[in-house]
Amino acid sequence: MQDANIVAEQIRAARAVLSWSVAELSMKTGVGTATIKRYEATTGVPKSRKGHLQTIRSTFESAGIEFIGTPEDRPGIRLHRPAGP
């Protein structure tokens, strides 16, 4: 398993690239909307105790998001689209 640590900026960016609302991300992950909003309002790695960051990360990765860098060194995202005809 990859390190689950992702930064708030990556969560916001991934959600924006996928055009997902907070409610939609909550529905897909089972993580409460208030928790997602709290994560996104921080800077850096949000405090999380229940494995929510791993759940969010896995959900985004299943949707084609690749998390690049580390929380300390140029964190970002890439979008992988399925190959077209």
Side-chain angles (χ1 to χ4, degrees):
M1 175 174 96
Q2 276 192 314
D3 185 0
N5 285 340
I6 54 177
V7 296
E9 296 83 356
Q10 288 173 305
I11 297 170
R12 290 192 304 266
R15 202 168 54 73
V17 165
L18 295 170
S19 298
W20 290 359
S21 66
V22 170
E24 189 171 359
L25 178 58
S26 174
M27 193 170 58
K28 291 176 183 293
T29 61
V31 177
T33 57
T35 299
I36 293 169
K37 288 178 182 179
R38 181 174 51 83
Y39 288 172
E40 290 188 356
T42 65
T43 300
V45 178
K47 291 189 187 334
S48 175
R49 293 179 286 172
K50 297 182 180 178
H52 289 158
L53 289 180
Q54 181 59 48
T55 300
I56 290 169
R57 180 183 185 120
S58 296
T59 300
F60 281 140
E61 288 173 338
S62 294
I65 297 293
E66 176 188 359
F67 292 92
I68 58 175
T70 67
E72 301 81 23
D73 183 25
R74 298 181 294 160
I77 64 166
R78 281 191 195 118
L79 177 61
H80 293 274
R81 297 224 184 255

